[in-house]
Amino acid sequence: MGFFSKLKEKLTKTREGFVEKIESLVTARKKIDEELYEELEEALIQSDVGINTALELVEELRRRVKERKVEDAAELKNILQEIITEVLMDDESRLELEKGKPNVIMVVGVNGVGKTTTIGKLAYQIKVGGRKVLLAAGDTFRAAAIDQLEIWSNRVGCDIIKHKENADPAAVVFDAIQAARARNIDVLIIDTAGRLHTKSNLMEELKKVYRVINREMPDAPHEVLLVLDATTGQNAISQAKLFGEAVGVTGIVLTKLDGTAKGGVIIGIKKELDVPVKLIGVGEQIEDLRPFKPGEFVEALFEK
């Protein structure tokens, strides 16, 4: 099965909860009126694009309908697809990795979103692409996180820098950067804590890790990827705002898109945060973490 067919299949729940709802609204009536626009707004809000984004999308829909003198309600679905594609398309969503130096990717996110698994899958993809990868077990507050990352390093076939549980994450990061330089590593991926057992603030801890990276390598981190769980819907957007303020997120990894009807959150993330979604997770397999291609995503979402 090609990736497009797989993506289409994985987005079934969002399609059923979002696109098909819109389709039944526009085919149930011929006339475009205020009531129809309100029902479309409601359908968008229910699919977790967010209230502001839903209002903006419908406003743009009204504008285009008026401008093009559209009278048949059935045409609204295609116009909405066009608007959503434009919202998602307007920026570059590739990972920024340069040749000839260690690139540092700092990965952040709360526990339970699939952060360590995402790091493992990302390491695999980068290695398959012919680059040397090193992992850093910076989530020292959870013994399982260190073990899990070590399992991934064995599976991928790359080295890992780790300290004991409850060690200072900044010390792990310091050692990892020295090792990356000494071993001619192309990409260093740093795992970070998603929750602290102490009273100390998670965001302060992450800021400290960021400062150590930046001190040891002034143009790093080259990417700060925030892993979000699509099934949490609007919650994901409030998390993104917090992490963004603390460490300046450069890209989003949206996981568990295959298990939710809340895939509309991807539109809300782009509209409200203006941070590109760079990778999406659509399944358990190692190759199910993919670069986010907006056109392909919207097509798979809207196509039956």
Side-chain angles (χ1 to χ4, degrees):
M1 190 192 281
F3 183 67
F4 183 76
S5 317
K6 194 169 187 182
L7 183 61
K8 219 168 106 175
E9 182 198 305
K10 299 284 189 179
L11 292 174
T12 301
K13 287 187 181 175
T14 292
R15 188 181 309 109
E16 286 168 355
F18 172 41
V19 179
E20 289 178 12
K21 204 175 278 179
I22 287 165
E23 201 157 54
S24 62
L25 282 176
V26 299
T27 50
R29 57 180 83 191
K30 286 279 171 239
K31 201 165 145 251
I32 300 172
D33 56 15
E34 198 47 46
E35 195 184 339
L36 177 57
Y37 284 127
E38 279 176 19
E39 286 178 5
L40 285 170
E41 261 169 26
E42 208 171 294
L44 287 163
I45 291 166
Q46 282 169 359
S47 69
D48 265 275
V49 303
I51 295 175
N52 295 342
T53 304
L55 296 177
E56 284 178 35
L57 292 173
V58 172
E59 200 46 55
E60 181 56 25
L61 182 64
R62 284 174 200 265
R63 196 187 66 72
R64 293 189 192 192
V65 164
K66 200 173 169 185
E67 193 181 82
R68 298 175 193 180
K69 300 183 171 58
V70 175
E71 286 175 7
D72 183 359
E75 288 183 46
L76 297 188
K77 182 189 161 197
N78 290 340
I79 300 173
L80 198 56
Q81 178 175 351
E82 185 186 290
I83 295 167
I84 290 170
T85 305
E86 285 169 23
V87 167
L88 293 173
M89 284 293 264
D90 74 345
D91 62 8
E92 187 53 63
S93 54
R94 276 188 323 210
L95 285 180
E96 296 294 328
L97 299 176
E98 289 178 34
K99 284 189 174 153
K101 66 170 185 186
N103 290 269
V104 180
I105 301 176
M106 179 179 177
V107 184
V108 300
V110 299
N111 287 352
V113 293
K115 191 164 65 244
T116 313
T117 306
T118 294
I119 290 170
K121 290 178 178 178
L122 180 58
Y124 167 78
Q125 290 191 4
I126 291 170
K127 187 167 184 259
V128 164
R131 298 185 187 209
K132 273 182 86 176
V133 185
L134 177 66
L135 303 181
D139 182 359
T140 58
F141 300 97
R142 209 165 54 93
I146 303 171
D147 297 343
Q148 206 186 343
L149 204 64
E150 191 159 22
I151 290 165
W152 272 108
S153 81
N154 292 332
R155 196 173 164 190
V156 171
C158 64
D159 289 345
I160 182 171
I161 301 296
K162 59 173 191 154
H163 287 195
K164 289 193 181 73
E165 187 184 356
N166 293 320
D168 180 1
V172 178
V173 168
F174 177 85
D175 285 358
I177 289 173
Q178 308 315 316
R181 284 201 175 105
R183 300 176 198 181
N184 288 323
I185 293 295
D186 297 308
V187 183
L188 166 62
I189 309 176
I190 299 170
D191 192 10
T192 59
R195 183 170 76 88
L196 303 185
H197 299 309
T198 59
K199 288 275 186 287
S200 115
N201 183 307
L202 173 63
M203 297 305 156
E204 290 308 314
E205 190 58 56
L206 294 175
K207 282 180 189 171
K208 182 175 147 193
V209 168
Y210 186 98
R211 283 197 300 271
V212 171
I213 296 170
N214 193 248
R215 187 188 70 212
E216 295 308 311
M217 202 178 274
D219 59 344
H222 305 91
E223 288 277 9
V224 179
L225 297 180
L226 170 62
V227 183
L228 295 174
D229 174 347
T231 64
T232 61
Q234 283 298 293
N235 235 346
I237 292 180
S238 39
Q239 278 176 33
K241 286 178 178 166
L242 280 175
F243 281 95
E245 284 161 17
V247 287
V249 173
T250 60
I252 305 275
V253 183
L254 197 59
T255 64
K256 308 181 193 178
L257 261 174
D258 53 320
T260 182
K262 297 178 175 181
V265 72
I266 204 164
I267 307 157
I269 286 169
K270 181 67 196 75
K271 206 81 172 101
E272 290 194 34
L273 304 170
D274 205 32
V275 175
V277 174
K278 296 204 171 186
L279 297 157
I280 54 173
V282 291
E284 298 297 316
Q285 301 306 311
I286 202 163
E287 60 281 351
D288 285 339
L289 180 74
R290 308 289 297 205
F292 176 59
K293 295 180 178 164
E296 186 178 80
F297 177 84
V298 179
E299 197 182 327
L301 187 58
F302 274 82
E303 203 180 277
K304 280 197 165 174

